Amino acid sequence: MHPHRGFETVTYMLEGSMEHRDMSGNQGLLVAGSVQWMTAGRGIVHSEMPKQVNGLMWGFQLWINLPSSHKMMEPRYQDIPPQDIPVVDNGDVLVKVIAGEYGGSVGPVSGIITNPIYLDVSLQPNTEFEYALPKSHVTIAYLFEGECTFSDMENIEAPIVVDFDFNHGQLFRAKTLEGMGRFLLISAEQINEPIARRGPFVMNTQQELQQAFTDYRNGKF
């Protein structure tokens, strides 16, 4: 087992599974298509054991920072099975709505302080996709299958992460040419605070990092 403090982890499984356990006796199994949004907050000690299914193991884990006002909040989980994730299928555009809203569907992840958007977007060839981003958000896209153009960029091939320098909100645009493309669109409110990170802890200052290590060694998680 290993500890975390001061941030959130988001695990999204595409293939295989992930067995999860923590110090409080919570346990579960993330299967293909499922999501776990774990808020470490003031501290959690857990383990994650990946398991192949039919020889396959594929997924993503994203660390999302918490503002200083919420770094010591109570830990919690949101475990979401595949059937609870809305799918908006317009023929050429298929969107799985994990967090945020698209096409009248609202993602099952709720109550997150940074108001995130997390979409799994699949585009058929010669297809366009647009999404209006909130003014306070920062945005990345992770192209993990096929090829795509984002906003005014040239056509790019997977795998690649694109960090967008949008100011005061902007219309996100994606377009495929001869091939298909699949990407994660991830956006959240900008925190604009100092970041101090070491190992499994993400805090604001070096003193807070030292305190996190001390608390963990003293069994205060």
Side-chain angles (χ1 to χ4, degrees):
M1 288 193 173
H2 59 274
H4 289 302
R5 172 179 281 182
F7 66 103
E8 303 178 289
T9 65
V10 185
T11 306
Y12 177 31
M13 301 297 301
L14 297 183
E15 302 284 355
S17 65
M18 183 81 74
E19 183 179 3
H20 177 269
R21 299 175 184 270
D22 73 11
M23 60 186 183
S24 299
N26 299 309
Q27 64 182 66
L29 184 67
L30 299 176
V31 299
S34 62
V35 172
Q36 182 190 78
W37 201 292
M38 184 189 80
T39 303
R42 62 176 176 77
I44 199 165
V45 181
H46 75 150
S47 66
E48 298 163 304
M49 298 299 295
K51 295 184 177 182
Q52 292 186 351
V53 176
N54 297 323
L56 297 175
M57 175 68 191
W58 189 19
F60 311 98
Q61 186 172 94
L62 179 70
W63 286 22
I64 297 181
N65 196 17
L66 286 168
S68 57
S69 59
H70 287 73
K71 283 189 175 294
M72 298 299 285
M73 67 184 292
E74 287 296 314
R76 66 175 183 177
Y77 299 95
Q78 295 187 53
D79 288 335
I80 302 161
Q83 62 269 23
D84 288 350
I85 298 175
V87 178
V88 180
D89 189 351
N90 297 327
D92 290 333
V93 179
L94 186 147
V95 180
K96 296 182 179 180
V97 188
I98 296 168
E101 185 272 339
Y102 176 77
S105 293
V106 178
V109 174
S110 62
I112 305 299
I113 187 64
T114 51
N115 295 317
I117 296 163
Y118 194 124
L119 307 179
D120 177 353
V121 182
S122 298
L123 303 181
Q124 293 300 310
N126 299 304
T127 300
E128 295 185 7
F129 170 84
E130 293 184 343
Y131 193 90
L133 295 164
K135 292 182 178 180
S136 59
H137 278 211
V138 290
T139 304
I140 64 170
Y142 177 42
L143 179 66
F144 62 94
E145 284 187 355
E147 57 187 42
C148 201
T149 65
F150 294 124
S151 297
D152 297 324
M153 298 176 59
E154 295 182 355
N155 196 51
I156 54 177
E157 297 182 353
I160 189 169
V161 176
V162 180
D163 183 3
F164 296 94
D165 186 19
F166 292 156
N167 294 316
H168 308 298
Q170 188 166 328
L171 187 66
F172 171 87
R173 302 189 311 275
K175 181 180 180 180
T176 51
L177 300 177
E178 296 181 357
M180 62 80 65
R182 186 178 179 187
F183 58 90
L184 302 179
L185 176 60
I186 302 170
S187 183
E189 290 185 5
Q190 194 165 8
I191 296 176
N192 286 320
E193 292 180 352
I195 296 175
R197 175 188 169 190
R198 190 183 310 161
F201 306 133
V202 182
M203 305 302 291
N204 294 107
T205 68
Q206 292 297 318
Q207 285 183 327
E208 291 171 342
L209 279 180
Q210 290 297 333
Q211 188 62 53
F213 280 102
T214 298
D215 289 347
Y216 174 60
R217 286 193 295 265
N218 293 336
K220 294 183 178 181
F221 273 34

